């Protein structure tokens, strides 16, 4: 009987402790969702996900005193990661758009970007307007996709067909294979993709848009947003962000 009581006491104690343990464990983590198909902002290196956004996210985690967990998902599902609470923030070279602002809050911008055009070296496409009537590859759900799809017919360019890919690299493969006429993707990854296939590809000097990358959180999560903004502010003022960008540029040039 004594033994049984002891067992019950242990079980009760455990039942009281375990939920707290589980709770503090999840509180110890901050979860970032991204799409690691976007060098140099996020990409796979061996079995790790690395890149400029990961460096920033590590600083955010450090400031929160938490461990960073990364969820790697399709780019187009990122808004849902936030609204459904699967992550705390999205860092994915994500551009601020009015449409996205409906479902999430954005930090201060940390990088300025444009949509670039990549073509085969001997392509007849030499400028942005040459995209008229062409078949263009984009990464699904990106601003490049929105621009080329042009649902509200605001763009000055009307491509014939938009082919959507989960990965930028798959669009590049189709371009090299001659299945599409051009790839529209953010300028920095575009440089990277061209550099990896410099025999075959060129990036046109014409750009299509002006965009600003920011980190996204759940609507109303002001506390986290304030922390993120203070980390970004520090990283901008101490030159850390420019340093990361420069490092990745020279890695592009030398690699
Ligand atoms: N800047 C573009 C956008 O916001 C593309 C970002 C793609 N990022 C990625 N991690 N795949 O739509």
């Amino acid at each position: 009987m004594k033994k049984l009581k002891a067992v019950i006491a242990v079980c009760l104690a455990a039942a009281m402790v375990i939920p707290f343990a589980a709770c503090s464990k999840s509180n110890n983590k901050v979860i970032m969702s991204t799409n690691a198909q976007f060098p140099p902002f996020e990409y796979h290196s061996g079995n790790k996900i690395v890149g400029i956004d990961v460096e920033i996210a590590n600083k955010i985690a450090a400031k929160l005193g938490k461990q960073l967990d990364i969820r790697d998902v399709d780019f187009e599902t990122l808004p849902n990661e936030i609204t459904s609470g699967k992550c705390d923030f999205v860092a994915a070279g994500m551009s601020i758009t009015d449409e996205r602002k409906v479902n999430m809050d954005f930090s201060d911008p940390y990088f300025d970007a444009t949509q670039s055009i990549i073509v085969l070296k001997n392509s007849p496409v030499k400028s942005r307007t040459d995209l008229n009537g062409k078949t263009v590859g984009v990464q699904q759900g990106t601003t490049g996709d929105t621009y080329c799809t042009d649902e509200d017919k605001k763009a000055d360019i009307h491509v014939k067909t938009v082919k959507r890919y989960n990965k930028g690299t798959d669009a590049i493969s189709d371009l090299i294979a001659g299945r599409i006429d051009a790839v529209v993707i953010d300028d920095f990854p575009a440089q990277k993709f061209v550099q990896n296939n410099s025999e075959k590809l060129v990036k046109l000097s014409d750009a299509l848009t002006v965009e600003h990358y920011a980190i996204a959180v759940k609507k109303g999560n002001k506390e986290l947003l304030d922390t993120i903004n203070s980390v970004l502010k520090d990283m901008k003022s101490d030159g850390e962000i420019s340093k990361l960008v420069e490092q990745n540029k020279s890695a592009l040039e030398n690699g």
Side-chain angles (χ1 to χ4, degrees):
M1 195 59 195
K2 231 184 184 177
K3 210 173 176 188
L4 186 63
K5 265 191 189 160
V7 170
I8 290 170
V10 168
C11 285
L12 279 177
M16 283 171 78
V17 168
I18 287 164
F20 288 112
C23 187
S24 76
K25 192 174 171 225
S26 68
N27 275 342
N28 222 351
K29 285 186 177 164
V30 61
I31 304 170
M32 148 184 174
S33 288
T34 193
N35 167 252
Q37 298 292 337
F38 201 65
F41 288 91
E42 44 269 329
Y43 57 100
H44 290 266
S45 172
N47 54 9
K48 281 179 82 183
I49 295 174
V50 298
I52 297 172
D53 284 331
V54 180
E55 304 272 345
I56 297 173
N58 274 321
K59 291 262 156 87
I60 296 168
K63 180 107 182 183
L64 294 166
K66 294 184 182 187
Q67 187 202 318
L68 180 69
D69 259 18
I70 302 181
R71 285 172 55 82
D72 181 20
V73 301
D74 286 346
F75 185 80
E76 58 164 344
T77 65
L78 286 172
N80 180 59
E81 291 280 301
I82 291 217
T83 50
S84 66
K86 290 198 180 111
C87 69
D88 297 297
F89 63 86
V90 162
M94 185 179 266
S95 308
I96 304 171
T97 68
D98 287 342
E99 201 190 342
R100 289 174 181 159
K101 273 193 203 159
V102 175
N103 295 314
M104 43 195 156
D105 286 344
F106 281 102
S107 71
D108 297 332
Y110 62 89
F111 188 80
D112 298 332
T114 64
Q115 292 299 308
S116 282
I117 306 161
I118 306 175
V119 295
L120 288 175
K121 269 194 169 158
N122 57 359
S123 170
V125 177
K126 306 243 180 275
S127 69
R128 56 202 303 276
T129 49
D130 291 338
L131 287 178
N132 280 313
K134 295 290 191 295
T135 299
V136 179
V138 298
Q139 196 186 13
Q140 177 132 12
T142 61
T143 45
D145 183 1
T146 311
Y147 183 87
C148 291
T149 305
D150 191 25
E151 265 177 11
D152 44 16
K153 300 277 170 259
K154 275 194 204 144
D156 57 332
I157 284 161
H158 306 288
V159 311
K160 187 173 107 212
T161 312
V162 180
K163 276 195 83 178
R164 300 180 182 84
Y165 300 83
N166 275 335
K167 303 177 182 177
T169 45
D170 293 343
I172 296 292
S173 304
D174 263 10
L175 178 63
I176 292 171
R179 285 190 277 266
I180 54 179
D181 299 306
V183 171
V184 166
I185 197 160
D186 300 51
D187 47 348
F188 212 161
Q191 280 177 49
K192 186 86 187 165
F193 290 136
V194 167
Q195 187 224 338
N196 290 342
N197 299 279
S198 57
E199 239 86 293
K200 296 175 184 138
L201 302 178
V202 282
K203 177 165 101 64
L204 301 186
S205 50
D206 275 6
L208 293 171
T209 59
V210 176
E211 305 180 3
H212 310 284
Y213 294 171
I215 294 172
V217 302
K218 194 172 195 134
K219 267 214 147 322
N221 192 350
K222 188 172 178 308
E223 201 182 330
L224 179 57
L225 203 58
D226 286 348
T227 306
I228 292 174
N229 279 334
S230 84
V231 169
L232 288 175
K233 195 172 167 223
D234 289 350
M235 290 185 82
K236 282 182 203 168
S237 64
D238 68 10
E240 185 70 23
I241 294 211
S242 330
K243 205 173 106 195
L244 283 172
V245 170
E246 281 316 309
Q247 274 169 358
N248 279 283
K249 265 199 191 136
S250 57
L252 284 171
E253 279 146 20
N254 303 329

